[in-house]
Amino acid sequence: MALAAAVGVGPVASARADVVCDERCQAAWAQQRANAMPRTAFYDPPVPLPWAAAGTVIRREAAAGYSVPARVTRLLYHSRTGTGRDVAASAVVLVPSGQPPRGGWPVVVDAHGTSGAARECAPSLMRDLYHGDQMARFLGRGYAVIAPDYAGLGTDGRHALGDKVAAADDVVNSVRAARQGVPGLSRRWVVWGHSQGGGAALAVAERQVRRPVDGYRGAVVTSPAALLRETVGYAASRPGLGAFVALVASGAHVSDPRIDPARLLTAEAVGRLGSVRSGCLGVVSAVLGDLSGPGLVRSLDEPRFVRFLKANSVGTERVAGPVLLLQGQADSVIPVWMTDRVARALRGNGSAVDYRTYPGLEHDTYPGRVVGIDDGAMGDILAWVARRFGGRGAGRT
C-alpha cells in the first residue's frame, strides 16, 4: 500500500477509525493550532508554475503576527527538487529595526529541524517561527535571518524530508531570493542548522565545494541527522522516537515513489500515518510515540530505502568550511557517538571542523527539564559567527 493511500485528510490522528487520539495527542493538536498562522493564498504558486531560474522571487509580502521582534518579509521563490524539477518554496526574512549598517546586515540562514511533513508545518506558518527564540539572539547582534521552510512545507506538493539535494537547494535558493526581495542585506552569510537542519547545513557545505554561492562564510551545525541509516535505526529502537522513522519513510516515498512505507513499517504504524498528513511533529510523536522495535518496523533493509538513506547521508564528503560542529553529550535523539563519527570523517577528508561536545545538553530544550544544544551553546555560536563576519578563521573562542 502506497503512502498516499494510508494517509487521511484533516486534523485526525489516523486514517483508521480504531486509532484513538488520546489526551497527549489532543494536547499536541491544541498546541499546534494555538501556534498556527493562517495559510493564505500567498503560499499557492501559479498552476502550472512558469519556469524560472532557481532563487527567482515569485511574490513577496510584509508579514506580521509573529512572536519574534523583527521586520518580516515573506517570500515565495523558485527552488529545485532533488531531481532538478522547478518547484516553489517559501521563506521568511527577518531584519533588525533601524537602518542597515554600511555593507548591509550580515545574514544567518536557519536550516530548521524536523517540524513535520504537512503544509501546516512550515515554520513561517508558526507564530514562534519554530526557532524564534534563537533567531532573536541573532537579530539582537545585528544580523538578518533568512528562514526557508523547505519545499512542500507551506507550499503545495509534498515535503521530501531527508532528500539532501532538495534541502540544500531550498537553503541556497532562499539566499538568492532574499537578495532580490529584501533590501539592506549583506552578501556575507552563514548557515545554521539543527537536527534535520544540521544535515541540511552539511549538505549546503558539500554543495559549496561544487557549486558555490558567493558570500558564504561557513556553517554552524548542531546535533545533525547526518548518518541517516544509523539515525533511523536508532530512532526505531527507542520508545518515543517512532515519529522520526515515519517521517523519513514519508520523505523517502516523496523522493522516490517506489519506496513503499508499508514495506518498511508495521501495519499498526502504517494505520497511524494519517497524522503525517496534517499533524506536525508534536502530533505525529503523540500518535506514534508508543511504537518501537518490531511494533514499529517490519524491515529497514528494503534495498531502495537503504540506497535512499546512503545517498542522502552527509558528513563523509569534504565540505566547504569552516564548520562549527556542536553536540550535546546527553542528546537522546542524535547520540554523541554518531556526531563523533561525523567529526572524524570530516577531519579525515581535510574539512575544516571545530568540533565541541557539551556535558548535560540535550537535543532540544524543554523548559524546567533539560536544556538543548542550541540554547546551551548559544554563547559559543554567537562568538563564532561574529568571528566569521569579522573575517577571521575558525577556532575556539
Side-chain angles (χ1 to χ4, degrees), residues 231 234 238 327-329 331-340:
T231 299
Y234 179 85
R238 296 300 193 275
Q327 174 69 39
Q329 292 178 8
D331 196 317
S332 59
V333 178
I334 303 292
V336 66
W337 61 263
M338 284 191 202
T339 308
D340 287 347

Side-chain angles (χ1 to χ4, degrees), residues 158-159 218 305 343 373 384:
R158 303 267 294 286
H159 175 37
F305 188 57
I373 183 66
W384 189 88

